[in-house]
Every structure is written in structure tokens, then in C-alpha cells.
Amino acid sequence: MSIHPLAQTLNETLNAGNSIAYSLLSRKGKGIYFPSKGILGQSAEAKGKDINATIGTALEDDGSPLTLGILEEMISTDKSAFLYAPSYGDPTLRTRWKEMLAQKNPNLAGKLYSTPVVTGALTHGLSVAGYLFADEDDQIIIPDLYWDNYDLLFEQGYGAHFKTFNTFINGGFDVPALEAALMDGPVGKRIVLLNFPNNPTGYTPSKAEVTAIVQVLVESAEAGNRILAILDDAYFGLVYEDGIATESIFAPLADAHENILALKLDGPTKEDYVWGFRVGFLTFGFKGATEAQLKALESKAAGTVRGTLSNVPNISQALLLAAYSSDVYEAQKQSKYNTLKKRYDKIVEILAAHPEYADSFCAMPFNSGYFMCVKLNGVDAETVRNTLLEKYSTGVIVLSGLVRLAFSSVPLDKLEQLFSNLHNAVMEVKG
Ligand SMILES: Cc1ncc(COP(=O)(O)O)c(C=O)c1O
């Protein structure tokens, strides 16, 4: 594959000073560029001209978007939401999200990181990360309890392979297992994928564990490894216990070491309860990065968006921007957090009140997010799942031999019943 001159320019910018960013790019990542001189670039140059016959949106004779009345009546935002958004995302929304990142992660203060590029929610952001950095047969280091869609995204999508490490030890995150996975094999490229609050476990590391995770990543970087840390922050902000990290690991990693490129994926899907809007963000940071290098990474990401979705729905971006500018946004968000936190507290209370449940299952560590997992005692999880469906009218997910309970979708007053059904189903299967 020949390298386009625009990609070449981005690559030279990224490679300046031997930076980590260029050396981690996949073959596709080296080849991708934002087509700033093609249709998009020529359209930009024609903006404001008397006659602009450049871009493929339809306009009325008065220059406003040519739209169907039936849809216009349903849409309360500005009519411009009918038009394409830029492939980088709505610039005002990008800037707003960056400001919000700084507010939500005070440890980002004074650090240089890219302006977020808008993706078609986190799944697409993860795929863009795979496109840019994962080559066929690359290994991705990941805890053994992970969201199953990563299989499709990285293994099926880009031919990468997971190198899993043990997730929990002594009720906490198994940092030594991460360290061993990082140090295993010859010095070279390492891709690490971390997701907190975690799906499926609902676990977020304590502040001390975050420090330890950052430390082993830095030690591995010191040893000469070139590390891409992909941080899937889909459930950011939903932490229910004191002492647990409330900031993304992106904050300490964004300037941790010249050999660590941090890539944060986040978005409103779960944070703002807009699963169907399909908006996410992808943000880069690495120690010693220049503004030009961060812009070059943004261009690589936006080029990938252009070549996959073209751009992300403008209507969703417009609605979110309006919400983020509203003075009721924070209070409403807090109230929805409270709904989930109450369910979490209730589960903790139920588990404490029923020591007999230990005969049928034990809870895995959990403190955040939408889920928790239990390990069943001496019975097959799939058999219990089917018993729950058939005899208890209760649906759960079985994965990696565990039962995942999404308390995000179970009303508070049904949680007692959920756990009692689970206990009874296990006892029944045990005979
Ligand atoms: C860990 C994790 N990452 C990413 C996603 C995908 O989010 P989105 O709907 O924004 O694509 C999910 C959704 O279930 C998830 O659990």
C-alpha cells in the first residue's frame, strides 16, 4: 500500500523527536489521513461564496437545509442539525467535552492532550483505536473478565489476539498479573486495554490500585516497551464507594512516560443515558507531545471516521450540546446517578442480610457501573440461567462462567426477589 502524501506529512509530524505515537501505529494507521484537500477541503474553501456548488447536501433556494416538514416538526434543535457534522465532530461539542473532561478529572490540570474527536459512540471509537494501532497478530493485554464485544472489535475486526491476565486477587485488582503480562516476552510494542468501571464486573480500582497500575505501566515503559494504553471509560462517573478512583486513568497516564500513549474512549452513552444517540469521544495524550502531534493524531482519527461512518449524527451532537449548556443538566444527572446508587446500596444490604446465599453464590468485587457478577457454587451457570428463565421468570447473563446481573435495569423493589430467585435456582439445580 503506497502512503498518500497527506499521510506522509502526518507521519513525519508524529515521528518528530522519535515520538511514541508514530511507532505504535498499525499499517492501516500509518496509511490513514484526513482528506483535507479532497471534497471536504474544496468545500471548506468555497464556504461563504455567492455560489457554492461543492457539497452533497440539498439546500432550499433561500440557502436553508432542504428538509421534510414532518421531520422538522419533530426536531426542536436548529435546522442545521439536518446537515452533516464534520468528521472530527461538531467543534463546539468537542471543545465543551474537553472542558468537561478537565472538570471531571482535576488531575488533567496543566496537561496537554488532544481535543476529543467524535466517534459513533464507544464501540466505533474502539474500532477506530483498532484501525489506528492494531495489526494482524498484535497482542492486546486485557484482564480475563472483559466485555465480549472486544472479541468482534479487535480479534475479528483487526486480527489481533488477546493476552489475558487474571482480573482479581484477594478481593482487588490483580496488579502483579498485569505487570507479569506487560513484562512477558521481548521488549517491544504493548497494547493494553483497561475498562473501568468494568463491564462485566462493575469494578473500579481503588486510588491506591490506580497508582500501582500506573507504576507498573511506567516500569514497563522504562524497560523499553512502547505502550498504547486504551482506556474504555464507558461507565465513567458511576462510582458508589469512597476510596475508589473517580478520575480516569487517562489523567495520570497522559503524561506518565514518553513511551506511553494514552487513548481515552468515553462518551454520553452510559454517562448521560443516551444509548441510542451513538456519540462518543476519542482523546490522546502522551508525555512530550507537541500540539502538532496531537493534531496529527486527531487527523488520523478523523480520517478513520471519514472512511468508516463519514461522520456522526449531527442531531445527536446538537441535542447533547444543548443539554451540556443547560443549567439543569448537572442536577438531572445527579438524580439519575442517585437512582443507580440506591440500587447498588440495596444490593450491598441484601448480601449482608443473607449469609445463606454463600451456599449458592459469592459476589465478585464490585463498586461501580451498571453491573455486578456472582460466582456460583458447584453448579453450571448456564443450567442455572435456564432454570431462572423457565421457572423464575428471571433473565441474567452468563459469561466467563460467571453470572452477570445488570442492576442498572432492575427496579429497586425487585432486587430482593432477583437474589432470592438466584439462590433458589442454584439450590434447585444442586438438588
Ligand atoms: C465496556 C463497554 N465499552 C463500550 C461499550 C459500547 O458503548 P457504546 O454503546 O457507546 O458503543 C459498552 C456497552 O455495553 C461497554 O460495556
Side-chain angles (χ1 to χ4, degrees):
M1 189 177 68
S2 66
I3 298 277
H4 189 282
L6 288 172
Q8 191 58 40
T9 306
L10 294 176
N11 292 348
E12 280 161 17
T13 304
L14 287 175
N15 206 17
N18 252 339
S19 95
I20 180 73
Y22 176 75
S23 73
L24 284 171
L25 288 172
S26 64
R27 202 174 54 85
K28 279 189 202 304
K30 289 196 171 81
I32 196 74
Y33 58 93
F34 190 74
S36 50
K37 302 239 182 324
I39 291 174
L40 300 179
Q42 293 177 32
S43 294
E45 283 171 6
K47 215 170 176 187
K49 301 293 175 204
D50 283 346
I51 299 176
N52 183 351
T54 59
I55 195 130
T57 44
L59 302 179
E60 299 281 6
D61 289 340
D62 68 1
S64 65
L66 186 155
T67 56
L68 302 185
I70 175 81
L71 289 171
E72 233 182 273
E73 281 162 22
M74 287 188 259
I75 289 174
S76 55
T77 60
D78 192 272
K79 224 178 148 182
S80 61
F82 277 82
L83 299 173
Y84 288 128
S87 294
Y88 287 80
D90 179 306
T92 320
L93 178 65
R94 295 178 66 208
T95 311
R96 182 76 191 106
W97 190 260
K98 190 170 189 180
E99 286 164 10
M100 288 163 72
L101 278 184
Q103 283 157 9
K104 293 188 269 194
N105 298 276
N107 282 317
L108 279 175
K111 298 188 182 181
L112 197 61
Y113 49 99
S114 73
T115 301
V117 169
V118 176
T119 60
L122 277 93
T123 307
H124 179 239
L126 288 157
S127 180
V128 171
Y131 188 107
L132 291 177
F133 298 106
D135 273 317
E136 188 93 12
D137 293 328
D138 270 356
Q139 279 191 337
I140 300 185
I141 297 171
I142 185 171
D144 59 4
L145 299 176
Y146 62 85
W147 182 41
D148 64 352
N149 201 19
Y150 291 158
D151 291 335
L152 294 188
L153 277 160
F154 294 104
E155 293 205 315
Q156 300 303 320
Y158 297 102
H161 300 293
F162 291 137
K163 174 172 167 166
T164 58
F165 64 91
N166 183 50
T167 305
F168 292 126
I169 190 158
N170 302 329
F173 194 70
D174 194 345
V175 182
L178 166 64
E179 183 177 21
L182 282 164
M183 292 302 191
D184 184 36
V187 164
K189 179 176 179 178
R190 300 280 190 275
I191 304 177
V192 185
L193 172 49
L194 297 173
N195 158 230
F196 304 123
N198 179 258
N199 178 5
T201 62
Y203 188 77
T204 297
S206 66
K207 288 177 184 162
E209 283 173 328
V210 166
T211 305
I213 291 170
V214 172
Q215 198 179 329
V216 297
L217 286 164
V218 168
E219 275 165 20
S220 173
E222 287 277 296
N225 291 310
R226 294 170 289 107
I227 303 174
L228 170 70
I230 304 178
L231 308 164
D232 176 345
D233 289 349
Y235 300 87
F236 183 85
L238 296 169
V239 167
Y240 310 123
E241 292 282 355
D242 292 337
I244 303 305
T246 49
E247 292 191 41
S248 169
I249 302 196
F250 180 76
L253 286 182
D255 67 343
H257 195 279
E258 284 82 358
N259 272 356
I260 300 178
L261 171 60
L263 198 177
K264 180 179 189 352
L265 300 157
D266 56 16
T269 309
K270 323 275 179 177
E271 278 193 52
D272 295 317
Y273 313 99
V274 290
W275 308 272
F277 277 29
R278 311 315 298 150
V279 173
F281 298 91
L282 185 152
T283 310
F284 299 97
F286 65 97
K287 188 172 184 183
T290 62
E291 292 275 9
Q293 287 173 329
L294 294 172
K295 288 267 168 284
L297 285 169
E298 289 171 30
S299 292
K300 293 256 177 202
T304 312
V305 173
R306 174 70 176 156
T308 48
L309 302 181
S310 191
N311 48 71
V312 172
N314 212 354
I315 176 91
S316 301
Q317 298 188 56
L319 291 173
L320 287 162
L321 188 54
Y324 298 152
S325 315
S326 159
D327 49 16
V328 296
Y329 167 70
E330 285 300 343
Q332 291 191 358
K333 189 164 172 168
Q334 182 65 38
S335 137
K336 300 303 169 192
Y337 166 90
N338 293 345
T339 300
L340 295 184
K341 165 108 168 65
K342 258 193 222 151
R343 294 186 197 160
Y344 169 85
D345 290 340
K346 180 76 187 168
I347 292 173
V348 172
E349 190 188 304
I350 292 169
L351 294 176
H354 291 277
E356 75 279 14
Y357 287 174
D359 294 338
S360 48
F361 61 81
C362 76
M364 308 289 287
F366 73 113
N367 50 30
S368 55
Y370 277 26
F371 312 105
M372 64 151 327
C373 284
V374 299
K375 195 180 205 161
L376 305 184
N377 283 344
V379 280
D380 174 54
E382 184 58 18
T383 312
V384 170
R385 188 181 76 82
N386 284 316
T387 306
L388 280 166
L389 280 174
E390 283 157 23
K391 301 199 180 157
Y392 295 85
S393 191
T394 298
V396 298
I397 297 286
V398 167
L399 110 186
S400 306
L402 301 173
V403 173
R404 189 191 76 175
L405 306 172
F407 57 82
S408 55
S409 57
V410 179
L412 188 69
D413 63 6
K414 290 203 166 155
L415 288 170
E416 284 273 10
Q417 194 65 54
L418 169 65
F419 284 93
S420 126
N421 288 353
L422 181 61
H423 175 64
N424 291 334
V426 172
M427 290 322 229
E428 189 177 327
V429 171
K430 273 189 174 182

